[in-house]
Amino acid sequence: MKKIKQSWAEPYKIKMVELLKMTTAAQRKKALKDAGHNTFLLKSEDVYIDLLTDSGTSAMSDRQWAGMMMGDEAYAGSRNFYHLEEVVREVYGYKYLIPTHQGRGAENILSKILIKKGDIIPGNMYFTTTRLHQELAGGRFEDVIIDEAHDPENTFPFKGNIDLSKLKKLIKKYGAPKIPYISMATSVNMAGGQPISMKNLRELRALTKKHNIRIIHDMTRVAENAYFIQQKEKGYADRSIKSIVKEICSLTDGATMSAKKDALVNIGGFLAVNDYDVYEEARNMVVVYEGLHTYGGLAGRDMEAMAIGIKESVSDDHIKARIGQVIYLGEKMMEYGVPIVKPIGGHGIFVDAKKFLPHIPQDQFPAQTLAAEMYLDSGVRTMERGVVSAGRKTNGENYYPKLELVRFTIPRRVYTQAHMDVIAESAARVYERRDSIKGMKMVYEPKYLRFFQARFEKL
Ligand SMILES: *Cc1c(COP(=O)(O)O)cnc(C)c1O
């Protein structure tokens, strides 16, 4: 008899559905041409399964929607703020909360408070907005992630770890007073959603304590990181996601959060700190950039949805199904031989376009081409993370990044397993006819962040 599998399933049922437009191949061909073969320029309406990002694209629960009806839209002292503050203290353990409109709002305030001109901010791989705010405040980011993170073939389970010897060298070179904090992300986005281990974090805490350096936690995907600790780190198999999340936070001094990811809302974020002096300054500054400290650019109803979403996000059943779906898709793609980044991360599948389309040179945009072909085949929208995203150097030459990837990011609680089948089968179909696929040339290139608006033509 066939061995009986123990399957996961979603810990919810569906109450309302959003109808999608089904398109024909001819319609998709036209839509893609109108969009200059750039998936960012497609109209969302013309997309069947949208894997552009997991940011702000989650489905809220009935409880969150009910919470929105309980919005207290007072200018000051909204009841929803106090609820959110209570939840942040209970779930994450940080003492003081400043809500912001989204993650980058918190990054702006924190960077302005802690960074002085000439400071060094070490971190486990950069994130676009995080690094930019550090630079705008006069600091310089230094990557201290372990080397394994830069290798798509390396299957080390904690590719988000910090290389402590790299960090020690920086401390020695610049001196601890020049390092206001370590920028530590859980589930490192740019590495493909790769986790940091508790052991590494504990060692980081011991080292930073000795030198009196803060750890600021980019906790955008902390619950997803906790899942990998539970599954893969010794001593954590019997621990709840909730308790692991709290332990991670307890080893840090403060955090910035984009609630549009883990926390299951469409908009929102916050800054949370333990240090009263930092809180006091942030509370003053938030008024300038976001709004009063009891709403920070959010409506009362947004804060209520976030408070409820945070509690749902640390449920074991939720996170098991969430990451289970990502792994399901990744394994299915691997069965078809589609080359992906390993190990499978928390929030999506990253396809290795250099391996997928080895006959297309990098200056003919293999990842951009593959993203366009995916849309053409099935209406699935993905995102280029390669030479187009990397942009040009100050001397005008293209950056040619080592990683030329197409990101298939999975929104939370939005798509079904059948959708995952459609995506994997579509990738397999495109893979089957890969030899006939030609590259593209760029016919319009904007000056900044070109990947958003560049246009292409098929060669
Ligand atoms: C999305 C994201 C941010 C920025 O948050 P926004 O809500 O988009 O402003 C910061 N860090 C990481 C790791 C992210 O994924």
Side-chain angles (χ1 to χ4, degrees):
M1 205 175 90
K2 197 176 162 199
K3 191 169 163 275
I4 300 173
K5 212 167 98 179
Q6 180 73 49
S7 283
W8 57 271
E10 291 81 0
Y12 54 81
K13 59 182 177 179
I14 297 166
K15 195 193 284 274
M16 187 193 279
V17 297
E18 180 178 340
L19 297 182
L20 298 171
K21 187 167 120 187
M22 306 300 286
T23 51
T24 62
Q27 285 169 331
R28 290 195 294 275
K29 197 171 172 186
K30 179 173 184 304
L32 193 63
K33 195 158 173 260
D34 292 346
H37 294 87
N38 184 349
T39 51
F40 274 102
L41 297 178
L42 287 167
K43 289 187 184 143
S44 152
E45 257 191 349
D46 294 328
V47 171
Y48 175 37
I49 303 175
D50 202 347
L51 308 182
L52 195 67
T53 176
D54 66 328
S55 179
T57 53
S58 298
M60 292 208 295
S61 66
D62 53 351
R63 280 142 227 247
Q64 285 177 289
W65 280 107
M68 290 198 80
M69 295 306 290
M70 305 285 282
D72 170 5
E73 307 306 342
Y75 190 89
S78 160
R79 140 179 100 230
N80 313 116
F81 166 77
Y82 294 106
H83 182 205
L84 179 62
E85 185 184 55
E86 181 194 306
V87 168
V88 167
R89 282 182 181 152
E90 183 206 317
V91 175
Y92 302 130
Y94 296 118
K95 275 193 204 148
Y96 307 110
L97 168 76
I98 304 276
T100 57
H101 78 286
Q102 58 185 75
R104 67 198 69 182
E107 291 168 350
N108 174 39
I109 292 167
L110 180 89
S111 302
K112 281 201 163 71
I113 293 172
L114 291 184
I115 300 173
K116 293 184 305 296
K117 198 169 174 352
D119 279 351
I120 302 292
I121 303 94
N124 50 349
M125 209 173 260
Y126 83 99
F127 183 75
T128 50
T129 57
T130 319
R131 182 174 68 185
L132 189 57
H133 280 299
Q134 291 164 358
E135 288 169 355
L136 290 171
R140 185 157 58 83
F141 175 84
E142 286 269 0
D143 193 2
V144 291
I145 202 164
I146 55 171
D147 290 336
E148 286 87 337
H150 296 282
D151 176 4
E153 289 294 308
N154 193 308
T155 57
F156 182 65
F158 293 103
K159 280 161 95 173
N161 278 358
I162 289 178
D163 185 330
L164 295 175
S165 64
K166 284 186 193 169
L167 180 58
K168 279 181 199 156
K169 267 190 208 146
L170 286 179
I171 296 173
K172 198 158 170 215
K173 186 166 170 197
Y174 297 102
K178 277 261 168 239
I179 302 178
Y181 62 90
I182 311 294
S183 179
M184 187 282 293
T186 34
S187 282
V188 180
N189 190 349
M190 299 301 272
Q194 302 293 330
I196 181 170
S197 73
M198 197 73 85
K199 178 168 178 284
N200 184 249
L201 186 52
R202 249 189 253 114
E203 289 166 359
L204 178 71
R205 176 77 290 180
L207 177 69
T208 51
K209 207 164 214 165
K210 212 170 79 190
H211 293 280
N212 206 13
I213 298 173
R214 286 191 177 91
I215 301 175
I216 298 295
H217 177 197
D218 182 339
M219 64 182 301
T220 298
R221 295 183 183 81
V222 63
E224 292 172 5
N225 196 117
Y227 181 73
F228 287 111
I229 289 176
Q230 185 191 57
Q231 297 299 309
K232 296 181 177 177
E233 190 161 352
K234 221 175 102 200
Y236 286 90
D238 295 328
R239 289 273 303 274
S240 67
I241 293 297
K242 198 171 172 188
S243 79
I244 298 172
V245 164
K246 199 146 186 186
E247 185 176 340
I248 294 173
C249 295
S250 76
L251 294 167
T252 70
D253 302 291
T256 54
M257 172 66 149
S258 168
K260 299 172 71 172
K261 284 77 170 233
D262 250 11
L264 299 164
V265 287
N266 306 117
I267 192 71
F270 60 76
L271 171 64
V273 292
N274 290 331
D275 187 329
Y276 184 81
D277 295 338
V278 177
Y279 164 64
E280 166 98 40
E281 215 172 320
R283 203 177 52 181
N284 286 316
M285 202 180 279
V286 73
V287 186
V288 182
Y289 295 102
E290 305 279 321
L292 197 67
H293 68 284
T294 57
Y295 76 84
L298 296 168
R301 55 179 171 267
D302 298 329
M303 292 189 282
E304 191 59 28
M306 201 197 304
I308 298 167
I310 287 170
K311 285 192 137 174
E312 291 176 0
S313 78
V314 294
S315 131
D316 280 64
D317 294 328
H318 160 71
I319 208 78
K320 185 175 168 198
R322 182 324 184 243
I323 297 182
Q325 189 177 46
V326 175
I327 291 173
Y328 176 85
L329 174 63
E331 287 180 345
K332 193 122 198 170
M333 284 167 82
M334 283 197 282
E335 277 171 30
Y336 285 119
V338 176
I340 67 170
V341 174
K342 281 164 253 171
I344 295 166
H347 66 300
I349 301 301
F350 293 68
V351 173
D352 188 339
K354 275 188 184 172
K355 275 225 177 111
F356 196 112
L357 298 168
H359 57 286
I360 299 183
Q362 209 170 4
D363 58 7
Q364 292 175 14
F365 314 111
Q368 191 78 41
T369 302
L370 179 51
E373 291 293 333
M374 279 302 301
Y375 175 74
L376 209 55
D377 185 78
S378 56
V380 170
R381 170 154 73 169
T382 56
M383 183 200 288
E384 192 258 16
R385 276 292 180 232
V387 67
V388 183
S389 297
R392 289 182 188 275
K393 301 178 197 171
T394 40
N395 68 5
E397 280 172 38
N398 276 320
Y399 278 111
Y400 287 103
K402 209 173 137 200
L403 297 176
E404 177 77 22
L405 307 174
V406 179
R407 192 175 88 176
F408 292 55
T409 344
I410 314 298
R412 297 163 185 81
R413 307 196 292 206
V414 170
Y415 294 114
T416 65
Q417 199 151 324
H419 286 117
M420 297 303 118
D421 289 341
V422 166
I423 298 161
E425 287 158 18
S426 175
R429 256 193 319 274
V430 177
Y431 190 56
E432 204 171 59
R433 61 175 174 80
R434 62 190 179 277
D435 294 337
S436 67
I437 296 172
K438 295 199 175 70
M440 301 200 290
K441 66 173 180 203
M442 206 187 299
V443 292
Y444 167 68
E445 179 173 354
K447 200 161 161 200
Y448 305 108
L449 297 175
R450 64 183 183 183
F451 59 96
F452 283 124
Q453 301 199 57
R455 302 183 73 87
F456 303 83
E457 273 171 17
K458 301 258 355 157
L459 286 171

